[in-house]
């Protein structure tokens, strides 16, 4: 019965391994898919994310061979897409108009959360608001290219006949010559050109007037999404990953553009473009590529109102939806059902990975909180100065918050902006502060907007002297978003803490559930071996050795996983003491592996140049360090010798373990101590192992303040060196820890 059960288990494991191996081989053998991305202009930082995705290998990792094509004047990117000459293009928000007019296209995401299109004028013109454009000469297109600027003027009551439209030349000549008062420009380049000429300028952003279009949208065809959904998702994800990299490594990508894509550009121009884009993309606050269906509905309605589309349609087929992960999870479940024991091991590995993800997510949330707080604290806050409750000075941000013009607020009572229930308390605080009493200067209240709505604000007030008289300086900060962020962070923290406790309990339970049946198998195997070992053939006797080795391998894997788990969770309790390294560790290991080395025909040598082996460390983890290193040396050496050499280097006790084995490739050495990392991968690899041994060795060395280094040459051999400072004492460890 036991033998039959064991055979079934072996067959199940073989099926799973073969399935996984075939799957991995099939994925590796698939050639890169060739696709083309059509830009909407010449090479510049505007497309930095796609260059980064290509040059950093993100497209290749996704199985894609991407060709990036520049564009120029007169090009029609949409026509190239619909003809099938390219698979993906970059388009503005006008893509929704093409969809409404019957073009079968899909938007995968938007790089610019705010369009870079602006009204640009010289500062001396005095044009600072949209209302100032009434009756002015404006260089602007009358077609869809300037739709959002036309919509902005219409939203402020300026129709097409109420200003003089001058044909576009895409240059600054008209503005410099004074033949136009303002031009349709991009915030990423033309302001820089004016700055280089020493000319001050004003910018009007449409999104500040509630005309908020997306910019540089990634667009493909409906056919591509339906028939190549996996490719579309991989290209989208790799592209956005490239954008994340590009915005974090601006200087590197600028050098890349100059050296490979467009050497005629100026580095300062690209730096200005990158910084201008940052305020339109918000890479530190908003997920790259994010689009909102409701916002697209508003954009589509704007185009319909302007007459660029006949009627608004349902946008469900226009906005891309991510593919579900159901198939991938179903595959994991099927594999798990085939072999229960493999499920236990895979589950442990999954739990460790989940813990890393939770820790990483917690760190991201903490960093996100810090970034949000930094943005809020450095934002342009509203400022009031009032004397005896009458406003005598306000700034632009305060007017934008409250919805007033500056001249509407000057002379107005500050109490007209406060909720009635708050006025009495604030008046009392005001009188006490003027009297010199030290009371809190920061509190939360509700501020009234001109339209009658209220918003929660943090008020920071202090007594100042203004134009020779006492006054109150009031700084107003909208805290609605901050409160929501803090609430979400608290909930995320609670969820992470609960997940951490759940994982700890799960690891403890899995340890028991896996060890118990395996120990039972070992016990029955020992009984069966005593009864039948001398009565069966040599082949059957060899099976006993194989089963014993396989069981020990499983036990070792479980021990390594649990040990790594203890270190990552910080639950391992080290017991530091002074002991003899040779007597407690090296001598026993030498005797244990001497026999195994002889069986493989290897020389096992111990070279000793010192007499004092005393170190101060944790005995258990030191034993694990050298057991792993010696075990690897024996495992990966087929001929030649293995040496343990002990000597001294100043205050350091140095132990070197060298072999004449298969060696390690130079390109793999940087990853040598990573968890679950192996030079040979897949189920056809020659040597067993799980990639945890050396990761634990490095952790154990760090715990004991030991230095570890490695030298290796492929097909020549490997040498690991571990150095211990014999001057360390307990108080030294306390200080270092």
């Amino acid at each position: 019965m036991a033998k039959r059960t064991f055979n079934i288990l072996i067959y199940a494991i073989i099926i799973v391994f073969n399935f996984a191996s075939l799957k991995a081989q099939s994925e590796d053998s698939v050639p890169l898919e060739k696709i083309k991305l059509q830009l909407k202009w010449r090479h510049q930082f505007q497309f930095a994310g796609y260059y980064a995705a290509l040059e950093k290998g993100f497209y290749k990792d996704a199985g894609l061979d991407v060709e990036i094509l520049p564009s120029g004047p007169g090009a029609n990117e949409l026509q190239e897409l619909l003809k099938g000459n390219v698979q993906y293009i970059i388009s503005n928000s006008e893509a929704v108009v093409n969809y409404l007019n019957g073009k079968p296209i899909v938007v995968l995401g938007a790089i610019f959360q705010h369009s870079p299109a602006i009204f640009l004028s010289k500062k001396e013109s005095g044009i600072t608001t949209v209302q100032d454009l009434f009756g002015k000469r404006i260089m602007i297109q009358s077609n869809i290219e300037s739709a959002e600027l036309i919509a902005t003027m219409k939203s402020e009551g300026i129709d097409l006949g109420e200003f003089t439209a001058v044909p576009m030349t895409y240059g600054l000549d008209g503005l410099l010559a004074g033949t136009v008062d303002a031009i349709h420009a991009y915030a990423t380049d033309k302001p820089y050109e004016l700055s280089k000429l020493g000319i001050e300028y004003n910018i009007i952003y449409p999104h500040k007037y509630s005309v908020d279009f997306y910019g540089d949208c990634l667009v493909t065809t409906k056919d591509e999404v339906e028939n190549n959904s996996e490719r579309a998702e991989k290209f989208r994800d790799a592209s956005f990953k490239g954008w994340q990299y590009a915005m974090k490594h601006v200087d590197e990508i600028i050098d890349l553009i100059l050296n490979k894509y467009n050497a005629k550009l100026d580095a300062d121009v690209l730096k200005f473009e990158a910084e201008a884009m940052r305020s339109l993309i918000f890479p530190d606050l908003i997920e790259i590529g994010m689009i909102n269906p409701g916002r697209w509905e508003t954009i589509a309605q704007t185009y319909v109102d302007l007459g660029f589309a006949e009627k608004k349609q349902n946008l469900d087929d226009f906005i891309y939806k991510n593919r579900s992960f159901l198939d991938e999870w179903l595959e994991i479940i099927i594999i798990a059902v085939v072999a229960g024991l493999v499920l236990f091991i895979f589950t442990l590995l999954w739990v460790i990975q989940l813990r890393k993800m939770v820790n990483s997510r917690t760190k991201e949330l903490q960093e996100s909180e810090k970034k949000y707080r930094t943005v809020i604290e450095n934002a342009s806050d509203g400022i009031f100065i009032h004397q005896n409750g009458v406003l005598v000075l306000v700034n632009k941000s305060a007017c934008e918050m409250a919805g007033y013009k500056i001249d509407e607020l000057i002379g107005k009572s500050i109490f007209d902006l406060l909720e009635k229930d708050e006025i009495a308390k604030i008046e009392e605080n005001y009188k006490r502060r003027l009297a010199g009493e030290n009371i809190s200067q920061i509190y939360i209240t509700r501020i009234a907007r001109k339209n009658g709505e209220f918003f929660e604000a943090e008020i920071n007030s202090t007594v100042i002297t203004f134009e020779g008289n006492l006054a109150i300086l009031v700084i107003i900060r909208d805290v609605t978003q901050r409160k929501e962020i803090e609430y979400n962070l608290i909930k995320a923290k609670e969820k992470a803490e609960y997940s951490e406790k759940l994982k700890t309990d799960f690891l403890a339970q899995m340890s028991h559930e896996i060890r118990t049946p395996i120990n039972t198998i070992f016990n029955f195997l020992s009984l069966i071996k005593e009864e039948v070992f001398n009565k069966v053939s040599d082949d059957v006797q060899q099976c006993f050795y194989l089963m014993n080795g396989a069981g020990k391998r499983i036990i070792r894997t479980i021990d390594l996983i649990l040990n790594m788990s203890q270190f990552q969770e910080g639950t391992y309790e080290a017991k530091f003491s002074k002991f003899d390294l040779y007597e407690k560790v090296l001598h026993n290991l030498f005797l244990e592996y001497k026999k195994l080395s002889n069986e493989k025909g290897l020389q096992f040598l111990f070279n000793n140049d010192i007499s004092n082996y005393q170190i101060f460390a944790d005995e258990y983890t030191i034993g694990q360090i050298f057991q792993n290193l010696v075990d690897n040396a024996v495992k990966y050496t087929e001929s030649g010798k293995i040496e343990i050499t002990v000597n001294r280097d100043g205050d350091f006790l140095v132990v070197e373990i060298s072999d004449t084995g298969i060696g390690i490739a130079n390109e793999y050495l940087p990853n040598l101590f990573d968890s679950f990392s192996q030079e040979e991968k897949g189920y056809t690899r020659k040597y067993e192992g799980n990639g945890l041994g050396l990761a634990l060795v490095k952790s154990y060395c760090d715990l004991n303040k030991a230095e570890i280094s490695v030298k290796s040459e492929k097909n020549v051999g490997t040498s690991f060196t571990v150095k211990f400072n014999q001057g360390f004492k307990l108080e030294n460890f306390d200080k270092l820890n």
Side-chain angles (χ1 to χ4, degrees):
M1 184 65 181
K3 181 176 180 180
R4 180 182 177 187
T5 301
F6 176 78
N7 287 337
I8 292 174
L9 178 61
I10 293 298
Y11 292 148
I13 294 175
I14 290 174
I15 290 172
V16 174
F17 284 2
N18 286 340
F19 176 80
S21 177
L22 288 172
K23 183 176 183 295
Q25 291 176 8
S26 65
E27 290 178 351
D28 292 340
S29 61
V30 175
L32 298 180
E33 291 188 84
K34 293 183 178 294
I35 59 175
K36 293 181 180 180
L37 168 65
Q38 177 68 64
L39 306 180
K40 67 175 187 176
W41 195 242
R42 301 183 182 96
H43 290 302
Q44 54 191 15
F45 200 89
Q46 181 179 357
F47 312 111
Y50 306 108
Y51 308 142
L54 179 62
E55 302 301 332
K56 305 309 293 188
F58 301 151
Y59 287 140
K60 184 177 180 182
D61 292 343
L64 303 175
D65 180 5
V66 179
E67 182 180 359
I68 301 175
L69 304 175
S71 185
N76 191 326
E77 294 82 16
L78 179 62
Q79 186 176 8
E80 292 297 302
L81 178 68
L82 296 177
K83 285 183 177 180
N85 296 333
V86 298
Q87 288 73 46
Y88 301 90
I89 64 172
I90 308 302
S91 174
N92 289 329
S93 290
E94 66 191 58
V96 72
V97 175
N98 294 317
Y99 172 80
L100 295 177
N101 290 332
K103 300 298 188 293
I105 59 175
V106 178
V107 61
L108 301 178
I111 303 305
F112 290 82
Q113 292 301 310
H114 296 313
S115 168
I118 59 171
F119 288 108
L120 182 65
S121 62
K122 291 193 289 186
K123 189 171 185 179
E124 63 186 33
S125 70
I127 299 175
T128 60
T129 68
V130 173
Q131 290 82 1
D132 295 333
L133 295 171
F134 182 84
K136 296 296 192 293
R137 299 163 299 173
I138 307 173
M139 184 178 290
I140 192 171
Q141 295 277 32
S142 60
N143 57 25
I144 197 171
E145 291 186 17
S146 298
E148 58 196 294
L149 299 184
I150 296 172
T152 302
M153 289 192 288
K154 278 184 172 290
S155 71
E156 294 298 306
I158 301 177
D159 291 326
L160 290 176
E162 295 178 319
F163 65 91
T164 302
V166 179
M168 289 283 291
T169 63
Y170 299 98
L172 294 173
D173 294 344
L175 195 63
L176 296 176
T179 58
V180 295
D181 301 302
I183 65 171
H184 172 186
Y186 279 86
T188 55
D189 56 2
K190 294 305 179 187
Y192 176 82
E193 295 180 25
L194 288 178
S195 296
K196 291 291 287 184
L197 295 172
I199 299 174
E200 295 182 315
Y201 54 83
N202 292 326
I203 294 177
I204 300 176
Y205 292 96
H207 69 260
K208 292 190 176 181
Y209 292 85
S210 301
V211 180
D212 199 1
F213 282 22
Y214 289 116
D216 279 21
C217 301
L218 186 58
V219 176
T220 188
T221 61
K222 183 178 180 181
D223 179 75
E224 174 75 6
V225 170
E226 291 180 348
N227 298 322
N228 298 289
S229 59
E230 185 175 358
R231 181 171 76 180
E233 182 173 9
K234 288 181 177 180
F235 177 75
R236 174 183 180 273
D237 293 345
S239 297
F240 295 164
K241 184 178 180 182
W243 271 107
Q244 291 172 347
Y245 185 92
M247 297 310 293
K248 291 180 180 178
H249 304 83
V250 170
D251 291 338
E252 177 185 342
I253 301 304
I254 288 176
D255 289 340
L256 172 65
I257 293 171
L258 294 175
N259 293 328
K260 187 169 183 178
Y261 289 94
N262 195 340
K264 296 180 180 179
L265 293 174
D266 181 84
D268 290 337
V269 174
L270 296 178
K271 288 181 180 179
F272 179 89
E273 184 180 10
E275 288 308 311
M277 288 169 56
R278 188 176 299 278
S279 63
L280 301 174
I281 297 175
F282 301 106
D284 297 327
L285 301 178
I286 299 177
E287 182 181 1
I288 296 290
M290 188 185 76
I291 51 178
N292 183 286
R295 193 165 156 197
W296 273 116
E297 293 282 352
T298 302
I299 295 171
Q301 186 61 55
T302 301
Y303 279 116
V304 171
D305 294 342
L306 292 176
F308 293 112
E310 292 185 2
K311 63 179 180 178
K312 194 176 74 170
Q313 306 171 23
N314 188 297
L315 300 182
D316 288 347
D317 292 337
F318 174 66
I319 301 172
Y320 177 76
K321 301 175 183 62
N322 288 347
R323 184 172 64 91
S324 171
F325 292 103
L326 178 60
D327 294 338
E328 298 173 11
W329 282 109
L330 184 60
E331 182 178 317
I332 295 174
I333 293 173
I334 292 174
I335 295 175
V337 170
V338 176
L341 180 60
V342 175
L343 171 63
F344 289 135
I345 297 175
F346 283 1
T347 303
L348 286 175
L349 299 177
W350 177 80
V351 168
I352 291 175
Q353 184 63 29
L354 179 60
R355 180 174 56 255
K356 290 182 179 178
M357 293 170 62
V358 171
N359 291 339
S360 175
R361 182 57 180 159
T362 302
K363 183 178 179 181
E364 288 176 4
L365 288 173
Q366 292 171 345
E367 292 176 350
S368 178
E369 177 186 10
K370 182 179 178 181
K371 290 175 181 177
Y372 273 112
R373 291 188 183 277
T374 301
V375 171
I376 293 172
E377 292 170 359
N378 290 283
S380 298
D381 297 325
I383 298 176
F384 294 135
I385 296 180
H386 69 89
Q387 292 173 328
N388 297 319
V390 178
L391 294 171
V392 295
L393 185 145
V394 296
N395 73 343
K396 183 179 178 181
S397 295
C399 293
E400 291 176 352
M401 288 182 185
Y404 289 92
K405 296 181 180 179
I406 292 179
D407 56 1
E408 291 177 324
L409 285 177
I410 297 297
K412 193 178 186 68
S413 172
I414 191 172
F415 300 115
D416 291 342
L417 302 177
L418 301 175
E419 196 171 24
K420 292 181 179 179
D421 296 340
E422 297 287 321
I423 293 177
K425 181 178 68 175
I426 294 175
E427 283 181 330
E428 178 64 23
N429 289 341
Y430 169 65
K431 293 175 181 178
R432 292 167 62 187
R433 192 171 295 111
L434 286 180
E437 188 173 343
N438 185 19
I439 63 174
S440 175
Q441 297 179 340
I442 301 177
Y443 49 91
I444 302 296
T445 188
R446 284 160 57 83
I447 302 294
R449 293 191 172 96
K450 184 179 180 180
N451 60 10
E453 296 179 352
F454 286 87
F455 67 94
E456 289 195 5
E458 179 184 85
I459 303 296
N460 186 348
S461 58
T462 185
V463 178
I464 64 170
T465 299
F466 180 73
E467 295 182 350
N469 298 308
L470 288 179
I472 299 293
L473 170 68
V474 182
I475 300 176
I476 299 176
R477 177 172 298 162
D478 188 336
V479 297
T480 305
Q481 186 181 26
R482 188 181 78 187
K483 284 194 171 185
E484 181 179 352
I485 293 169
E486 290 173 349
Y487 174 81
N488 291 336
L489 287 173
I490 290 171
K491 290 298 181 183
K493 181 176 180 291
E494 291 173 353
K495 186 175 181 180
E497 289 173 348
Y498 173 77
S499 298
E500 192 67 30
K501 182 179 183 301
L502 185 64
K503 287 178 292 177
T504 302
D505 295 342
F506 183 80
L507 281 174
Q509 183 67 22
M510 285 299 99
S511 173
H512 173 76
E513 290 299 322
I514 296 175
R515 288 176 183 272
T516 299
I518 290 177
N519 287 333
T520 301
I521 292 172
F522 272 147
N523 290 337
F524 278 105
L525 181 63
S526 178
L527 291 174
I528 295 172
K529 181 179 178 181
E530 288 184 13
E531 291 292 331
V532 305
F533 189 77
N534 295 324
K535 301 176 183 179
V536 296
S537 65
D538 292 344
D539 290 340
V540 177
Q541 290 179 1
Q542 184 64 25
C543 289
F544 281 105
Y545 292 118
L546 293 175
M547 287 186 287
N548 185 63
K552 289 182 177 179
R553 180 180 175 185
I554 294 175
I555 290 292
R556 176 172 171 78
T557 299
I558 295 169
D559 288 340
L560 288 173
I561 292 174
L562 293 177
N563 287 346
M564 180 60 75
S565 173
Q566 282 185 314
F567 260 82
Q568 291 183 341
E569 292 179 357
T571 58
Y572 177 76
E573 296 182 2
K575 297 179 181 179
F576 293 103
S577 62
K578 189 174 184 179
F579 63 91
D580 188 297
L581 179 62
Y582 174 78
E583 179 182 332
K584 295 292 186 179
V585 178
L586 298 180
H587 179 65
N588 295 332
L589 282 176
F590 179 74
L591 296 178
E592 178 183 351
Y593 283 93
K594 178 73 172 176
K595 180 180 178 182
L596 183 59
S597 299
N598 291 339
E599 291 175 355
K600 292 186 68 175
L602 304 174
Q603 284 185 287
F604 197 176
L605 307 176
F606 191 99
N607 303 316
N608 174 23
D609 294 335
I610 66 172
S611 58
N612 178 12
Y613 286 88
Q614 295 292 320
I615 62 172
F616 190 86
D618 176 54
E619 185 176 331
Y620 171 76
T621 53
I622 294 299
Q624 291 296 306
I625 290 172
F626 290 107
Q627 182 175 2
N628 274 285
L629 294 178
V630 173
D631 187 80
N632 282 349
V634 174
K635 181 197 302 184
Y636 295 114
T637 303
E638 301 298 337
S639 63
K641 63 181 180 179
I642 299 166
E643 291 185 88
I644 300 178
T645 303
V646 185
N647 53 45
R648 185 179 306 284
D649 182 7
D651 290 336
F652 288 89
L653 177 69
V654 182
V655 182
E656 180 182 2
I657 298 175
S658 58
D659 61 62
T660 57
I662 61 174
I664 305 167
N666 286 333
E667 57 269 21
Y668 179 70
L669 286 176
N671 304 320
L672 187 62
F673 296 110
D674 292 347
S675 299
F676 305 107
S677 174
Q678 290 183 299
E679 185 172 2
E680 288 188 356
K681 298 181 180 179
Y683 294 104
T684 58
R685 64 182 190 271
K686 183 177 180 181
Y687 297 98
E688 66 180 44
N690 48 50
L692 281 176
L694 288 178
L696 278 170
V697 165
K698 184 62 169 68
S699 297
Y700 291 153
C701 286
D702 293 342
L703 174 70
N704 291 281
K705 311 306 174 192
E707 301 176 13
I708 185 169
S709 59
V710 59
K711 296 179 181 178
S712 185
E713 185 176 347
K714 200 68 176 173
N715 300 320
V716 175
T718 303
S719 173
F720 284 90
T721 301
V722 183
K723 298 174 68 174
F724 300 92
N725 190 340
Q726 289 186 301
F728 269 140
K729 297 181 181 179
L730 181 58
E731 53 267 26
N732 297 117
F733 275 83
D734 290 339
K735 292 177 182 177
L736 287 173
N737 288 330

